[in-house]
Amino acid sequence: MAFIYSTAVGDNAAPAHASTGTPSHMPAEWEDHQRTWMAFPPPNDTFGTVGSSTLDRARAAWSKVAQTVARYEPVTVIADPRDSTAAREWLGQGIDVMEVPLDDGWLRDSGPTFVHAPDGSLAATDWIFNGWGAQDWASWAKDQEVARAVAAGVNLPVRQSRLVNEGGGFHVDGEGTVLLTETVQLDPARNPGATMESVEAEIHAALGTTKAIWLPRGLTRDYDEFGTRGHVDIVATFAGAGTILLHRQDDPAHPDHAVYLQLKAVLGGQLDAQGRPLRIIDVPAPTTLQDDEGWVDWSYINHYVANDVVVLCSFNDPNDSIAAGILQRAYPGRTVELVDARDIFAFGGGIHCITQQQPAPREGNAA
């Protein structure tokens, strides 16, 4: 597999960079941002119809996250043209709204991955998006065009990948290491015939990484009918050079207890791209084990790091404060903002799943 360069679409599109053989570089999430991108939940089978309590719950939850991040950095929310007026009403002042046709509201997955081009300027990687492996319940005709539309809206060149992938399916440390999951990038419904070697070649070329650490699976709930089949951003994330935060389920009755033990064993003894042994910090799961649908996947790992802030999922749970303390120590100098994420998880994701960072250009390439 290999990615190709392609010109961004739209009247404001910038010309694509010519391929130089030098890979792009995706900075770590905790590096400086220009802005955060989100998507306003449209009416669909997941969120419900206009005027329904479920759609209102989704819009309230997404808006709360946007308003929290906007206190620390600019936020742009894309909204389907039919929903742009509602988006502005829900979001309030100080948040930009850009009209883009939408199927769903999970911009981490359908939106672009922003990277530094070899000269330090910004570019956007457009993965192929096919509804988390062409799942029966998903629609993606509009969402597969979102990354290019967002890039055009900010006049950035697009690097079109041939890999089916989503932003929630990987994490980088900004120093060459990437976390992947076997059941995502090697999913036959995403990338039939792919091997670890072919996926790594494409990932490294697109993100500027040099070492992939593969997890065998994700959390149990993620393999239910409406799951992503193993996104890493709900179970493990980098939190600084050589440091990984790992979801720890302590109750042996919950199937994610066994998952935790498996992933801890896989990560133990691993070295990052710089040759450093990984330091693993356990983050205990909320004490709640089940909801009306079965075993919960509530996780503090699915947080978002923005300028001067960590926006952390909360669940009205005794472990909320414990997780906040762990993340405060993991990201020193940042404010930890707790935002109730129970409604976001009820719809299939968390705070990280609905946000996407646009990093600042490297020094000397300010936009």
Side-chain angles (χ1 to χ4, degrees), residues 175-191:
E175 297 189 17
T177 319
V178 60
L179 291 175
L180 303 171
T181 311
E182 293 178 25
T183 55
V184 174
Q185 286 82 18
L186 299 180
D187 178 5
R190 285 177 166 101
N191 297 298

Side-chain angles (χ1 to χ4, degrees), residues 233-249:
D233 71 350
I234 200 170
V235 67
T237 183
F238 290 106
T243 300
I244 285 182
L245 302 179
L246 179 64
H247 178 81
R248 188 186 80 205
Q249 174 54 253

Side-chain angles (χ1 to χ4, degrees), residues 69-349:
V69 176
R71 295 202 293 270
Y72 297 88
E73 66 181 62
V75 175
T76 298
V77 176
I78 64 172
D80 192 277
R82 62 186 167 169
D83 299 322
S84 60
T85 298
R88 290 180 174 90
E89 292 173 351
W90 277 97
L91 294 164
Q93 298 294 316
I95 296 175
D96 294 330
V97 175
M98 187 172 88
E99 294 186 4
V100 176
L102 288 175
D103 292 305
D104 220 322
W106 309 100
L107 195 73
R108 174 68 56 174
D109 294 342
S110 60
T113 294
F114 294 98
V115 296
H116 288 141
D119 66 357
S121 62
L122 287 181
T125 297
D126 179 15
W127 312 104
I128 297 173
F129 180 72
N130 75 342
W132 304 277
Q135 300 205 45
D136 291 342
W137 51 266
S139 299
W140 60 91
K142 298 174 184 176
D143 280 356
Q144 67 184 352
E145 305 295 333
V146 164
R148 294 171 63 82
V150 168
V154 288
N155 199 31
L156 292 182
V158 175
R159 299 169 51 116
Q160 177 66 56
S161 175
R162 293 179 181 172
L163 186 71
V164 177
N165 196 22
E166 303 97 36
F170 61 90
H171 264 305
V172 300
D173 66 354
E175 297 189 17
T177 319
V178 60
L179 291 175
L180 303 171
T181 311
E182 293 178 25
T183 55
V184 174
Q185 286 82 18
L186 299 180
D187 178 5
R190 285 177 166 101
N191 297 298
T195 64
M196 285 186 175
E197 292 74 18
S198 67
V199 168
E200 287 183 21
E202 170 70 355
I203 289 284
H204 294 336
L207 302 180
T209 49
T210 57
K211 177 169 184 177
I213 297 175
W214 289 86
L215 301 184
R217 57 161 299 142
L219 297 184
T220 301
R221 179 87 167 243
D222 214 6
Y223 297 89
D224 287 354
E225 180 183 2
F226 300 109
T228 70
R229 301 175 184 153
H231 272 190
V232 72
D233 71 350
I234 200 170
V235 67
T237 183
F238 290 106
T243 300
I244 285 182
L245 302 179
L246 179 64
H247 178 81
R248 188 186 80 205
Q249 174 54 253
D250 289 325
D251 195 318
H254 195 304
D256 284 338
H257 176 70
V259 174
Y260 159 71
L261 294 176
Q262 181 185 17
L263 299 186
K264 181 95 168 184
V266 168
L267 291 169
Q270 288 272 5
L271 305 178
D272 68 10
Q274 304 301 317
R276 295 172 296 224
L278 293 178
R279 181 170 70 109
I280 301 170
I281 300 174
D282 291 344
V283 182
T287 60
T288 300
L289 298 181
Q290 291 185 290
D291 62 12
D292 293 341
E293 303 296 327
W295 300 109
V296 300
D297 58 353
W298 292 0
S299 170
Y300 301 111
I301 301 302
N302 200 266
H303 56 272
Y304 180 58
V305 184
N307 294 339
D308 299 321
V309 68
V310 178
V311 186
L312 176 61
C313 301
S314 68
F315 304 94
N316 192 29
D317 189 275
N319 281 352
D320 288 355
S321 59
I322 295 173
I326 293 172
L327 267 68
Q328 184 68 75
R329 294 187 292 274
Y331 302 103
R334 281 181 160 85
T335 300
V336 175
E337 294 265 16
L338 287 160
V339 176
D340 194 323
R342 286 174 291 178
D343 277 342
I344 305 175
F345 272 80
F347 291 114

Side-chain angles (χ1 to χ4, degrees), residues 23-41:
S24 296
H25 170 259
M26 183 181 179
E29 191 170 307
W30 54 84
E31 297 184 48
D32 288 345
H33 296 182
Q34 272 193 328
R35 71 177 54 248
T36 290
W37 290 85
M38 297 178 64
F40 189 67

